[in-house]
Amino acid sequence: MISAFWRRWLLPFTILPLLPATMFNLFAGREVALLGCLLGLGFPLAAAWLMRRGRSGDAGLAALAMGGSVASVAWLGADAGPVAALVLAVGAWGGTRLLYSGVQEAAPPPPPPEPALPPPPRPLDDARARLRGIADAAQRLPEPRLLPVALAIAAVLDEFERRPERLEEARRFLGVNLDGLERIAARLSAGAESPPGLPSLLREMEAAATGLRTRLREEESAALAVQVNVLGGKIREAGYG
């Protein structure tokens, strides 16, 4: 029994008898016969490549290639006529199918995964990008109060992102505080001298952001306390308390 490894290498050796005929037709100027020989050489090489690849369905394609090789040699190279060429091609196809019936073929490779879509932008992503720019500039500027204000505003953004229904209030807050802080950082980056009232203003902005964050949390805590009282009353009224 010939192993599957050696059966894969039988196909290239089938072209050896065609080499003398190819050289003869080349020097004799028989162009049609030469074309048949060249096709007879090319098809087995393609079949050998298919069997070496070993994917699912390659054995069937290799059998068709061998049938095409025999048909080309018989019809064009030997001028045997289409009927004889067809009969010989069918025989070559069937023989190749029997030869490779036990060869294990690999499954086709899975399709490449689709690229992951980027997450949709959040309403306050632009504000966060501006805050990152201010924080980067604050590390290079002499004014030490810029970074705490930027961090306090970022903490307020975290609170607003948990409450999408209050985005309009967030935009009003950012329209005053973030725009102002951004302009201050831009002026300082351009070489402006810090005026005497700037540290006091920055402390006021930080306190305002911290106070707003505290107020938002207190409102949520109060709302939760109301819900707890209401739910407790309903449970007691229903007789489950």
Side-chain angles (χ1 to χ4, degrees), residues 10 37 99 132 169 185 191 232:
L10 287 177
C37 290
L99 179 64
R132 285 194 295 270
E169 182 181 355

Side-chain angles (χ1 to χ4, degrees), residues 25-26 29-40 72-79:
N25 290 321
L26 174 64
R30 300 174 59 187
E31 295 183 354
V32 176
L34 177 62
L35 175 61
C37 290
L38 291 176
L39 292 175
S72 301
V73 174
W75 190 1
L76 301 176
D79 196 18

Side-chain angles (χ1 to χ4, degrees), residues 219-230:
E219 290 175 358
E220 290 299 322
S221 299
L224 177 59
V226 171
Q227 290 179 355
V228 168
N229 292 332
V230 172

Side-chain angles (χ1 to χ4, degrees), residues 68-93:
S69 173
V70 172
S72 301
V73 174
W75 190 1
L76 301 176
D79 196 18
V83 176
L86 179 61
V87 172
L88 293 173
V90 171
W93 171 82

Side-chain angles (χ1 to χ4, degrees), residues 3 16 22 53 104 131 141 148-149 185 187 205 221 237 240:
S3 67
L16 294 179
T22 303
R53 188 175 67 170
Q104 184 70 28
L131 277 174
L141 295 174
V149 178
R187 294 295 182 185
M205 294 174 67
S221 299
E237 290 176 1
Y240 298 111

Side-chain angles (χ1 to χ4, degrees), residues 25 27 42 70 107 115 117 126 133 142 144 146 157 186-188 194 208 210 236:
N25 290 321
F27 291 108
V70 172
L117 296 177
D126 179 64
L146 279 175
L157 292 186
R187 294 295 182 185
L188 292 174
S194 177
T210 304
R236 287 189 292 272

Side-chain angles (χ1 to χ4, degrees), residues 6-230:
W6 291 110
R7 278 186 286 178
R8 288 189 175 93
W9 292 102
L10 287 177
L11 296 179
F13 290 101
T14 61
I15 68 175
L16 294 179
L18 292 176
L19 295 178
T22 303
M23 299 301 296
F24 173 79
N25 290 321
L26 174 64
F27 291 108
R30 300 174 59 187
E31 295 183 354
V32 176
L34 177 62
L35 175 61
C37 290
L38 291 176
L39 292 175
L41 294 173
F43 279 122
L45 294 177
W49 176 81
L50 288 169
M51 291 309 302
R52 181 176 176 81
R53 188 175 67 170
R55 293 182 183 175
S56 177
D58 282 349
L61 295 177
L64 290 176
M66 293 304 297
S69 173
V70 172
S72 301
V73 174
W75 190 1
L76 301 176
D79 196 18
V83 176
L86 179 61
V87 172
L88 293 173
V90 171
W93 171 82
T96 307
R97 291 291 295 177
L98 291 175
L99 179 64
Y100 293 108
S101 60
V103 174
Q104 184 70 28
E105 294 179 332
E114 296 183 358
L117 296 177
R122 296 178 297 179
L124 300 178
D125 280 351
D126 179 64
R128 290 193 178 279
R130 293 165 63 188
L131 277 174
R132 285 194 295 270
I134 294 173
D136 292 341
Q139 297 177 4
R140 301 187 299 270
L141 295 174
E143 176 52 59
R145 301 299 309 173
L146 279 175
L147 187 58
V149 178
L151 295 177
I153 294 176
V156 175
L157 292 186
D158 292 338
E159 297 299 327
F160 275 123
E161 281 191 337
R162 300 189 187 101
R163 303 164 181 82
E165 71 280 0
R166 305 187 67 167
L167 285 178
E168 189 59 35
E169 182 181 355
R171 293 189 179 96
R172 290 197 303 269
F173 169 78
L174 294 172
V176 176
N177 292 270
L178 181 57
D179 290 353
L181 188 64
E182 197 171 37
R183 284 193 291 269
I184 291 171
R187 294 295 182 185
L188 292 174
S189 298
E193 294 291 336
S194 177
L198 181 58
S200 176
L201 173 62
L202 293 177
R203 283 194 296 269
E204 185 179 347
M205 294 174 67
E206 182 183 0
T210 304
L212 177 57
R213 179 170 179 260
T214 302
R215 179 169 61 83
L216 291 172
R217 288 195 166 187
E218 289 176 350
E219 290 175 358
E220 290 299 322
S221 299
L224 177 59
V226 171
Q227 290 179 355
V228 168
N229 292 332
V230 172

